[in-house]
Amino acid sequence: MTISFADILELGLPLVLDGSVLLLAVIGTITGLFVGAMPGLSSVMAMAILIPLTYRMSPPQAFGLLLPAYAAGTFGGAIGALLLNIPGTGAAIMTTYDGYPMAQRGEAGYALGLSCVYSFVGGIVSAFFLAIFAPVVAYWAIRMGTREYFAVAVFGLGVISYLSPSLVKGLIGGAIGLLLATVGMDSITGVSRFTFGHAELAGGLEFVPVMIGIFGLGEIMYTVEKGTREGAHLPQKFGRMLPRMKDVIRCIPTTVRSIVVGTFIGVIPASGPTIGAVASYGLEKRIGKRREEMGTGVPEGIIAAEAANNAGTGAAIVPMITLGIPGDAVTAVLLGALMLHNLRPGPTLFTQRLDVVASIFILFFLGNVLFLIFGLLGARIFVRVLRTPQRILLPIVAALCFIGAYAVRRSVFDVHILVIFGIVGFLLRKIGVTPAPLILGFILGPIVESTLRRGLITTQGSFAAFFARPISAFLLVSTVLLLVSPGLIRLARFLRTRYRAKVERQV
Amino acid sequence: MRKNVVFVLVLVLVMATMGFAAGAAEEEVFPSREISLYIGFAAGGGTDVLGRRIAENMEPELGVPIVIDNRPGAGALVANQQVANARPDGYTLSLLLGNQFLQKHYKEADAWIDPLEDVTLIGVFNRDAWGIAVPSDAPYDTFDEFVRYARANPGIQVGSGPPGTLYYWTWQAVIAETGIDLTIVPYDGTAQSLAAAAGEEVAAAGAGPGEAASLMDGGLVKMIGVAADERIDAFPDIPTFAEQGFDIVVGPWRAIVGPPGMPDDVVQTLANALETAYYSDAFQDFIRENGHGAFFRGPGEDGRAFFEAEDRFFYSLMAAQGQAR
C-alpha cells in the first residue's frame, strides 16, 4: 500500500489532465469559495448541492468537483469571519478572533491574504502528508479509541475557558452551548431529552441554523441596534495582501505548530478540521510568543486557525480513503462518491485502482492551488463588501441566513430555530457574551458526553483507565497544564520576587 | 397602508390562480407532472444512493421526472411524517426504512408514525443483511465459536449504534436467539463501531458486509456471519447465521410509500413502475456490485404480510427487554 510520487504523477495526471475535470475543478473552487464566504450558506449546503451533480460523472470528474470545493470551502469560511465577524463554516469560528479585529483596523486585505496563503500552506503540507503517509497513518489512527477522542474533545473544551476576555462570560457561553447540546435522543440510553415530541429535535438541534442564528442574525441585530454607520466606511488599505517577510519568519513556529496540530487531530477518525482549529488556536494562545496579543488582530491568530483547519482537510481524507472511515460530514460525502462508482476504499483501492487514488491526491493538491489563485484575485472584490452601505448589506446577509438555515434539511422548523437563536445571540452580545464559546460548547458537548459515557462502559467504570493510554493521558495532562499554566507562572514569579526580596534583605 | 392592502390582494389572487391550476391538473391521467421523492437522509449516503438509483429507473416507466428531495432528520421520520400528511395524489412519496417500526414500538421515542396505518405502501425494493465483524486476530472465526466464547466470558463488549437505531436492536435479536450475556456499547454510527472493533476496543461490531468491506480488505476485521436467508453474492465466503444453526434474519430494508388514502389506480401505476425498475438490469447490477441485498414486495398481500411481520418482530424484541411502548 505504498505509493511514490512518480506513481502518483504517472497514473494520476492522465486522469486529471482532461478538459472536463479541470473545468469542474474551477467550478468546484468557485462554488466552495462563494458558499464558504457567504454568511449563512454553509459548506454542508455546498456539498448537498454538488453531490447530486456528481452521480452521473466519472470518478475523476466527481472528485474534480468535490475536492476543490472542500478545500476552497474550508478557506472560504474565513472570508465571512474576518469581514463581517460571521464565520462561513464551523471551521472558521476561530478566525473571527484575530481576522475581524485586523479587518476593523483597515487591514482587511492583509487579513484575507494571510488567511488565503496560510490555508494554502496548511492544505499543501497536509496533501503531501496524505500522499506519502496515508497507509501508515491510517493503521495508527485506527488504534485511536473512545478515550483518545474524549481527551481531544476535553482539550477543546479547555480552550473555551480562556478564549474570552472575561473568564466568567466565556464560561457562561460555553455552559449554554453544552446545555443546548443535550437536546435530542441520548446516544447511550436512547432517552429523548427536551424534544417535546418534535421529530425534528430527535437528532438534536441542527448545527447550521444554530450557528448562523447566533453568529449571523445575532450580529446583524446587534449592529442595527448600535446604529448603522451610514456611509462611514472604514478606510481600507489595499496595498499589501501577501504576507510580509518579517511576519512569515516570526510566525514559522506558529505555522509548524498549527499544521502539526491540525493534521494530528484531522487524522483521528470522526474528528475533523473544526476541532483542529480550536486546539491549534488554544495552544497558540497559551504557548505562542505573542499570546498576550492574541485576539487583537495579530497574524499569529489567523495562521493558527487557518493553517490548522486546512491541514485538517487533507488529514481527514486519510482514514476515509484507506479504511473507509470518514473524518467529518464532508469526507462522509466523498466516501459516498467513491462507493457510488463501485470503488471500495481500502487497500484494494490502492492495489487495483491506484490511478484513482493518485488522481484524488492530485485533485486535492490542485484544489489548494486553485483557491490560492482565486482567493488572492478575488480579495479586492471581497473587501469591497465592507464598502457596501450597511442598509443594503445587512438585509442581504439576513436573507442569506434564512436561505441557508432552510436549505440544509429543507425544513421550516430550522428557520424557526434560526430566528430563536438569532434573538439569543443578540441578547448574549448585549450582556457581553461572545458567540464562539457557545458554539464550541455546542459542537464539543455531544462528543465529550458520549465518549465519556461510552469510555466508562468500556473501562467498566474506571476513570483511571483514561490515563492508561499514552495519547489520552498526554492530552488530558496537557489540558490541565494549559488551564493552570498562567496561575503557575504567576505563582513562580511571585515566589521569585519574594525570594529576591528576601535575598536583598539579607544582603 | 394602502400599499399593503394591494399587496395582500395580489397575493391572494396569485395563490387562487395556482390553486385552480393544481385543480385542473388533477383531472388528467396520473402522472402528468413531476413526482417528489423525499429521502430522509443526507445526499451521498447509502440510502440516498439506493433511492436515487431506483427513482431514475422508474422515470422511463412513468414518463415524468422524479425529483429527489433530501430532508434528513430523526432517521427519516421527519420526511415520512411530512409525506404522511401530504395530499394523497401520488405526487409526493418518500423512502421508508424498517427503523420506522422500531420507533413505533420503542418506548423512549417520543415521535413516530405507524407504517401500517399512516402511509400507503408502494413496494419494498431492497433488504440488506446485518452481520457481525470481529477483530481479525480474535479467537473465534465463526458465529458458533463466538457464542461459545461469549458463554465462557459473560459480559464481553460489542459495538452497536445508538439505542434508538436498528443496529442496536440487532444485537438484542442476537441475545434473544442465543441467550448469551453481552455488554452493548453504543457508538454514534456504524463507521465508529467498526473502527472500534478494528482497534480492538470491543470484541465485535455489528455491520453489513458492504460497510465492513474496506476494513476486511485491510485485514483489520473479519466477518463471522450475516443475518440473511442465503449468502450474499458479493461476499460468498461469509456464512449466514442460519447455516450455523441460528435463526437471525435482520437488516435495513427500503420501501417507497405515499400518503394514506391514495387512489388504487395511482398506487398500481407507481407499483408497476417500481417493479419494472427493480427488475431492470441497471438496478440489479447496481445492487449486486455494491453488496446490497435483493428483495421485492409489492403493495398487495405480500407487502402487507411483510410489514405486519416486521411490526411483530420489533414489538416482540422490545417487549422482551421491557422497552416496548
Side-chain angles (χ1 to χ4, degrees), chain B residues 30 69-70 114 130-131 142 175 195 200 206 246 276 287 309:
Chain B
F30 178 84
D69 196 340
N70 294 96
D114 181 356
W130 181 77
T142 63
I175 293 170
E200 297 180 20
F246 298 91
T276 315
I287 57 175

Side-chain angles (χ1 to χ4, degrees), chain A residues 387-412:
Chain A
R387 288 209 257 172
T388 314
Q390 289 188 320
R391 68 190 153 84
I392 295 170
L393 182 65
L394 294 182
I396 292 175
V397 174
L400 286 173
C401 290
F402 278 86
I403 294 168
Y406 174 76
V408 173
R409 297 198 294 183
R410 302 226 197 167
S411 161
V412 177

Side-chain angles (χ1 to χ4, degrees), chain A residues 392-466:
Chain A
I392 295 170
L393 182 65
L394 294 182
I396 292 175
V397 174
L400 286 173
C401 290
F402 278 86
I403 294 168
Y406 174 76
V408 173
R409 297 198 294 183
R410 302 226 197 167
S411 161
V412 177
F413 188 88
D414 286 344
V415 177
H416 297 165
I417 299 286
L418 168 79
V419 173
I420 291 168
F421 282 96
I423 295 168
V424 170
F426 168 69
L427 295 177
L428 288 175
R429 272 183 185 76
K430 293 278 286 177
I431 60 165
V433 176
T434 51
L438 190 158
I439 294 296
L440 294 177
F442 183 64
I443 294 174
L444 294 168
I447 303 173
V448 171
E449 190 202 345
S450 70
T451 52
L452 175 62
R453 292 169 64 192
R454 189 185 312 134
L456 285 173
I457 297 175
T458 60
T459 64
Q460 280 144 359
S462 160
F463 282 98
F466 280 81

Side-chain angles (χ1 to χ4, degrees), chain A residues 291-321:
Chain A
R291 54 180 177 270
E292 307 292 340
E293 294 158 69
M294 296 272 285
T296 61
V298 290
E300 280 85 348
I302 295 178
I303 294 170
E306 284 300 307
N309 67 27
N310 275 73
T313 55
I317 295 176
V318 172
M320 186 277 284
I321 194 170

Side-chain angles (χ1 to χ4, degrees), chain A residues 42-369:
Chain A
S42 59
S43 56
V44 185
M45 185 184 146
M47 284 294 153
I49 297 168
L50 293 177
I51 291 298
L53 300 180
T54 65
Y55 282 165
R56 286 161 208 234
M57 294 179 187
S58 72
Q61 288 173 333
F63 285 102
L65 185 65
L66 296 175
L67 288 171
Y70 182 36
T74 307
F75 155 65
I79 300 173
L82 56 86
L83 293 182
L84 299 168
N85 206 17
I86 306 175
T89 60
I93 291 172
M94 307 312 292
T95 315
T96 58
Y97 275 99
D98 283 280
Y100 186 63
M102 189 182 275
Q104 290 297 298
R105 274 205 311 260
E107 296 175 59
Y110 192 57
L112 257 175
L114 275 175
S115 304
C116 195
V117 169
Y118 279 94
S119 291
F120 169 76
V121 171
I124 287 293
V125 173
S126 86
F128 274 104
F129 174 84
L130 162 74
I132 305 170
F133 298 113
V136 189
V137 168
Y139 283 85
W140 172 80
I142 198 81
R143 311 296 302 188
M144 301 281 109
T146 300
R147 283 170 273 174
E148 283 81 8
Y149 201 18
F150 168 76
V152 169
V154 166
F155 189 97
L157 274 189
V159 171
I160 295 180
S161 66
Y162 55 83
L163 272 180
S164 291
S166 153
L167 174 68
V168 175
K169 285 175 180 171
L171 289 179
I172 289 173
I176 295 174
L178 288 175
L179 277 176
L180 293 174
T182 60
V183 174
M185 197 171 253
D186 179 324
S187 61
I188 304 294
T189 62
V191 175
S192 294
R193 304 188 294 203
F194 309 117
T195 57
F196 308 106
H198 287 288
E200 287 89 344
L201 288 175
L205 286 162
E206 184 71 20
F207 172 68
V208 169
V210 172
M211 187 184 105
I212 59 187
I214 298 262
F215 270 107
L217 271 194
E219 178 76 23
I220 292 168
M221 287 190 239
Y222 189 62
T223 312
V224 170
E225 198 231 19
K226 270 193 310 191
T228 51
R229 301 179 302 264
E230 206 69 57
H233 311 298
L234 297 160
Q236 290 290 339
K237 292 173 235 160
F238 276 98
R240 182 88 195 181
M241 271 183 354
L242 290 176
R244 295 179 190 98
M245 200 35 91
K246 69 170 173 41
D247 283 345
V248 172
I249 293 170
R250 196 187 61 224
C251 293
I252 286 174
T254 308
T255 313
V256 173
R257 270 196 298 268
S258 310
I259 292 175
V260 169
V261 171
T263 309
F264 170 76
I265 291 180
V267 89
I268 296 175
S271 186
T274 307
I275 300 175
V278 173
S280 165
Y281 190 93
L283 191 67
E284 197 58 33
K285 198 169 163 114
R286 270 296 188 257
I287 67 168
K289 232 191 197 127
R290 298 178 74 182
R291 54 180 177 270
E292 307 292 340
E293 294 158 69
M294 296 272 285
T296 61
V298 290
E300 280 85 348
I302 295 178
I303 294 170
E306 284 300 307
N309 67 27
N310 275 73
T313 55
I317 295 176
V318 172
M320 186 277 284
I321 194 170
T322 49
L323 298 168
I325 294 170
D328 62 3
V330 182
T331 38
V333 158
L334 295 174
L335 177 69
L338 273 177
M339 307 287 265
L340 187 75
H341 294 97
N342 299 335
L343 296 167
R344 182 195 297 167
T348 326
L349 194 66
F350 279 76
T351 50
Q352 290 174 4
R353 294 302 302 274
L354 196 56
D355 56 333
V356 173
V357 176
S359 73
I360 289 175
F361 293 157
I362 296 176
L363 285 166
F364 182 72
F365 191 90
L366 178 69
N368 278 280
V369 176

